[in-house]
Amino acid sequence: MPVRLNHTIVYCRDKQASALFVSEILGLPAPTGFGPFSVVQVANDVSLDFLEEGTVHPQHYAFLVDEDDFDQIHGRILAGGIRYWADPGLRRPQQINTNDGGRGLYWLDPNGHILEILTVPYGGWPNPSRP
């Protein structure tokens, strides 16, 4: 079997609120409970398992989305009054980047994690015929 990412733990101060924030912004199903986790399932069989932790060290989570999803997510970010940036250093506020011929943006979750959506993977699509 090839090696595939199955899940990652996202440390947070409030697992319900954090998981709900991410699922709502990304337009994903509501989080479910599994043991001590609040779980957000993404489309490629990977889950984000939110776990409450006293000290949270901000991490970066990037989500590859299509153009329509990008527009919808961006719309929810705008409707929520959430600040966003075109760069991971958070120096280009309220802008969208066009890296690799796609679009991308970054925003913060309630724990300071940097979330990213992008429509083209870094370096572009390996197969030029892919949309």
Side-chain angles (χ1 to χ4, degrees):
M1 171 187 282
V3 176
R4 298 181 297 180
L5 181 64
N6 176 261
H7 68 276
T8 190
I9 296 174
V10 180
Y11 294 106
C12 58
R13 289 181 287 280
D14 182 331
K15 67 183 179 183
Q16 302 293 5
S18 296
L20 190 59
F21 174 84
V22 169
S23 67
E24 286 179 347
I25 292 292
L26 295 177
L28 298 171
T32 58
F34 181 74
F37 304 102
S38 187
V39 179
V40 174
Q41 190 69 45
V42 297
N44 58 338
D45 296 325
V46 174
S47 65
L48 303 173
D49 299 355
F50 290 81
L51 180 65
E52 291 175 5
E53 180 69 31
T55 303
V56 176
H57 300 283
Q59 300 293 316
H60 174 89
Y61 300 93
F63 303 94
L64 185 62
V65 300
D66 65 24
E67 292 290 340
D68 290 336
D69 286 333
F70 185 96
D71 291 337
Q72 291 174 25
I73 294 165
H74 182 230
R76 287 189 286 271
I77 289 170
L78 291 172
I82 299 168
R83 295 184 66 204
Y84 64 94
W85 296 265
D87 64 297
L90 313 180
R91 291 181 297 273
R92 295 172 46 207
Q94 305 310 107
Q95 295 179 49
I96 294 172
N97 71 56
T98 56
N99 298 342
D100 297 306
R103 295 185 294 163
L105 64 83
Y106 302 79
W107 73 101
L108 301 178
D109 86 339
N111 301 283
H113 296 301
I114 299 173
L115 306 179
E116 175 186 7
I117 54 172
L118 63 160
T119 60
V120 174
Y122 293 158
W125 292 107
N127 179 352
S129 66
R130 183 161 183 169

